[in-house]
Amino acid sequence: LGHIVEMKYTTRRETMKNIEVIVLAEELLRRKHTDNSTMTREERSQFITKWKTDHRDLLIDQLGPKDLNVKFLDGIFFTPSFSKGTVPELHRLFMADACHLNFGKYTLYSCYGTTANGNTSPVAFGILFGNEDKEGWVQFWKFAKNILPCLDNERNTFITDQAKGLIESIKEVLPNCGCSNSIRS
């Protein structure tokens, strides 16, 4: 059904930073729901240091020792198998957006095109660790352009929300197409 074309990896150190983000976010949510408290920067640092000490064996078991040169899956980009044949036939109007996923701290990046019947047709997707940002969009558009070069065409218009970095990433990676901001309600 889909072609997994590109995967993104991180080093052990980068993966450890990602784990710290998740652990800290979970602790902040727990505190918010328990007594509506927050943490100062110093408290956050102390919490992470203690958490890493308390979970040292688990971290070594899951990530390996610090000197081990391994990579960890951090994101994945894919297109439906029919995209190469379908996308060139779509109307020249595309929609792009991203949303948080319910597991970890991942963001789903997506692009859809419009069929002759006014229906949406999937173009490309990416799941990356972290929040939606320009860097994630640039990676997504580079992947999509590599698979579907016809996206970078002056006849194409991309409708987006006003997400940070999205419009700039389209201008950078797909300089020949137009980009329109939708109005937020």
Side-chain angles (χ1 to χ4, degrees):
L1 295 276
H3 290 297
I4 297 173
V5 178
E6 188 175 310
M7 293 187 269
K8 181 177 174 282
Y9 295 93
T10 58
T11 64
R12 184 191 190 281
R13 181 184 188 105
E14 293 166 328
T15 300
M16 189 63 215
K17 289 291 182 194
N18 292 345
I19 291 169
E20 291 174 17
V21 167
I22 293 170
V23 167
L24 189 56
E26 290 297 318
E27 176 62 13
L28 289 170
L29 278 174
R30 186 192 67 75
R31 287 178 182 225
K32 181 178 180 181
H33 290 296
T34 302
D35 59 9
N36 206 27
S37 66
T38 60
M39 300 169 84
T40 65
R41 179 173 285 211
E42 181 61 30
E43 289 172 325
R44 289 176 187 196
S45 177
Q46 290 171 358
F47 174 81
I48 288 297
T49 300
K50 181 179 181 331
W51 185 88
K52 288 191 320 191
T53 300
D54 292 348
H55 296 86
R56 179 183 177 278
D57 292 341
L58 174 69
L59 291 169
I60 290 172
D61 183 51
Q62 296 298 311
L63 302 178
K66 287 183 180 181
D67 59 349
L68 189 64
N69 186 19
V70 294
K71 292 185 177 185
F72 299 90
L73 183 64
D74 190 58
I76 187 167
F77 297 101
F78 55 97
T79 62
S81 59
F82 53 81
S83 287
K84 281 189 174 186
T86 305
V87 171
E89 304 301 323
L90 296 176
H91 285 236
R92 299 303 180 174
L93 183 63
F94 296 88
M95 296 148 289
D97 202 0
C99 64
H100 294 286
L101 297 175
N102 282 334
F103 58 91
K105 189 152 178 64
Y106 288 88
T107 300
L108 171 67
Y109 293 80
S110 61
C111 178
Y112 291 89
T114 307
T115 68
N117 294 332
N119 298 318
T120 57
S121 180
V123 173
F125 302 94
I127 299 173
L128 296 174
F129 182 84
N131 291 325
E132 175 183 11
D133 61 9
K134 181 181 177 187
E135 180 184 336
W137 277 114
V138 166
Q139 291 177 47
F140 175 79
W141 291 124
K142 284 182 177 179
F143 161 77
K145 182 179 176 180
N146 183 48
I147 302 302
L148 305 160
C150 63
L151 289 176
D152 191 19
N153 183 309
E154 69 270 352
R155 294 183 0 210
N156 290 346
T157 298
F158 285 79
I159 298 175
T160 71
D161 60 8
Q162 297 173 6
K164 184 191 292 186
L166 177 52
I167 295 168
E168 293 82 9
S169 68
I170 291 173
K171 289 177 182 176
E172 181 179 320
V173 181
L174 304 168
N176 294 317
C177 66
C179 187
S180 172
N181 295 331
S182 63
I183 298 173
R184 287 187 170 176
S185 47

